[in-house]
Amino acid sequence: MNITVIGEANIDIAVRQREPGNGKGCSPADIRFHHGGVARNVAHNLCLLGHKVKLMTVFGDDDFASRLIDDCKEIGMDLSLSTQYKDARSPIFLCFNDKWGQMQSAFSDIDLNDHLNLDWMRDKIDAVNRSDLVVADTLLSAEALTFLIDHCAVPLYIDTVSPKRALLLSKAIKQSRKKTFYAAKCNLAEAQAMTGITEAEEAARQLNAKGIENVYLTLGKDGAIYCSNNNLLHFPAMETEIVNVTGSGDAFLAGVVHGHALGHSDEKAVRIGLKMAQLNTESEAPVNPALRHSTVLCC
């Protein structure tokens, strides 16, 4: 399918402890640089799955940006809807993980994303609507998200990204005229931020009531929930040897989109998403390069 993915592309710097530190001096760690960002990761996964993907993002004007752009083109992404800004720094995401790959803390420098605004979105909406479907993250401004919800003429999937950004999506839905869109992927903390509800199934139902037609709620080791106005399904997680969890939610969403693109049911699409997430946890990178040769392509 022709898919447009809208949102952030950044540099990920992942620091993984080799052994617990004592808070004094320098602790040994594995430090890796990756090309990341929720939208970029989703686009990367979809390219590996064989789709024609346009990444609509903003790039800085430094060495990191040059590497990001070259890598996106090498993967096969169409960057014709992206914008590069002169003398701007690339967004950077820095995370500290324990030796099991679980994130302990994170920091970001993402001022460039201020350009993901209403004017930027309005100028590109006609091209966006020539896609078969659209995926967006919530690094867009609330006004840009509102405009996208109201003017996207094809199925729109939104990744809530974080509890703080999930609140921005709630604001965008309230401001919109349609007050509804096709699908959202979130984790439990993000769903709680949007609904104030701690119980997963009820939180998913409340997200439907807010106007999200299809909710994909990831629960880590407890699997995932799919919820629509007519259906609620709970899926167990797949067993895996965890190397790194960064990007697993992005892989899950790409798997759901891939399943729908192949014409599968919501249930089958979620199972493909869970398989994608499993494969992703087995890789140090935020996107597992082995995906291109995976049997998930044949699902």
Side-chain angles (χ1 to χ4, degrees), residues 277-292:
Q278 177 199 36
L279 289 170
N280 208 77
T281 61
E282 297 171 355
S283 171
E284 286 282 359
V287 176
N288 190 339
L291 177 62
R292 190 184 296 275

Side-chain angles (χ1 to χ4, degrees), residues 14 25 31 46 48 64 101 103 124 126 128 141-142 177 195 272 281 285:
I31 302 174
L46 289 170
L48 293 179
F64 284 145
M103 187 184 301
K124 302 173 186 294
D126 289 342
V128 168
S141 71
R177 295 192 306 273
T195 64
I272 294 173
T281 61

Side-chain angles (χ1 to χ4, degrees), residues 19 27 34 37 41 59 70 96 106 124 128 131 146 156 161 163 184 187 198 250 256 263 266 274-275:
E19 58 189 51
S27 299
H34 301 290
N41 289 348
F59 293 107
D70 289 345
F96 294 88
K124 302 173 186 294
V128 168
S131 309
T146 298
L156 171 63
V161 177
N187 63 27
T198 57
D250 311 333
V256 169
D266 292 306
L274 288 169
K275 179 63 177 177

Side-chain angles (χ1 to χ4, degrees), residues 36-275:
V38 171
R40 196 220 66 89
N41 289 348
V42 172
H44 189 166
N45 279 294
L46 289 170
C47 281
L48 293 179
L49 291 167
H51 299 282
K52 296 179 180 178
V53 181
K54 288 186 177 180
L55 176 63
M56 182 171 151
T57 188
V58 292
F59 293 107
D61 186 26
D62 51 20
D63 288 342
F64 284 145
S66 297
R67 295 176 189 177
L68 272 170
I69 291 169
D70 289 345
D71 185 62
C72 288
K73 289 179 178 179
E74 184 176 340
I75 291 163
M77 296 179 206
D78 181 338
L79 300 181
S80 60
L81 296 181
S82 293
T83 309
Q84 186 171 17
Y85 290 91
K86 188 176 180 180
D87 299 326
R89 295 197 315 273
S90 295
I92 295 176
F93 176 78
L94 170 65
C95 67
F96 294 88
N97 302 332
D98 62 23
K99 64 179 181 179
W100 297 281
Q102 298 288 343
M103 187 184 301
Q104 301 301 298
S105 62
F107 302 88
S108 62
D109 178 357
I110 57 173
D111 291 347
L112 183 66
N113 292 334
D114 291 344
H115 292 288
L116 299 171
N117 57 31
L118 176 58
D119 290 338
W120 181 82
M121 179 64 66
R122 185 187 287 119
D123 288 343
K124 302 173 186 294
I125 193 63
D126 289 342
V128 168
N129 281 330
R130 289 193 285 272
S131 309
D132 294 312
L133 59 85
V134 173
V135 183
D137 67 31
T138 54
L139 274 299
L140 305 173
S141 71
E143 293 75 21
L145 278 171
T146 298
F147 183 85
L148 185 62
I149 290 168
D150 283 339
H151 294 86
C152 187
V154 298
L156 171 63
Y157 298 71
I158 297 179
D159 190 309
T160 54
V161 177
S162 71
K164 180 179 178 180
R165 306 305 296 190
L167 291 174
L168 183 143
L169 177 58
S170 287
K171 179 180 178 181
I173 296 171
K174 290 178 182 177
Q175 291 177 343
S176 72
R177 295 192 306 273
K178 282 186 180 179
K179 300 193 182 302
T180 186
F181 62 94
Y182 184 73
K185 192 282 291 182
C186 57
N187 63 27
L188 185 55
E190 292 153 8
Q192 289 172 348
M194 293 183 71
T195 64
I197 296 170
T198 57
E199 199 277 319
E201 291 188 359
E202 183 57 30
R205 290 191 182 96
Q206 286 300 312
L207 290 174
N208 287 150
K210 281 181 173 288
I212 303 171
E213 297 172 22
N214 300 277
V215 174
Y216 300 90
L217 177 54
T218 57
L219 303 170
K221 63 182 178 60
D222 294 320
I225 287 173
Y226 164 70
C227 189
S228 68
N229 288 329
N230 302 315
N231 205 2
L232 191 148
L233 300 170
H234 195 152
F235 301 82
M238 297 182 177
E239 293 187 7
T240 184
E241 293 291 330
I242 295 177
V243 175
N244 170 51
V245 298
T246 301
S248 296
D250 311 333
F252 174 86
L253 177 56
V256 169
V257 170
H258 177 61
H260 287 160
L262 295 180
H264 292 311
S265 66
D266 292 306
E267 180 177 357
K268 182 65 176 290
V270 173
R271 295 192 187 281
I272 294 173
L274 288 169
K275 179 63 177 177

Side-chain angles (χ1 to χ4, degrees), residues 5-17:
V5 185
I6 309 171
E8 184 185 54
N10 66 21
I11 295 295
D12 286 341
I13 304 175
V15 181
R16 181 170 178 169
Q17 286 184 307

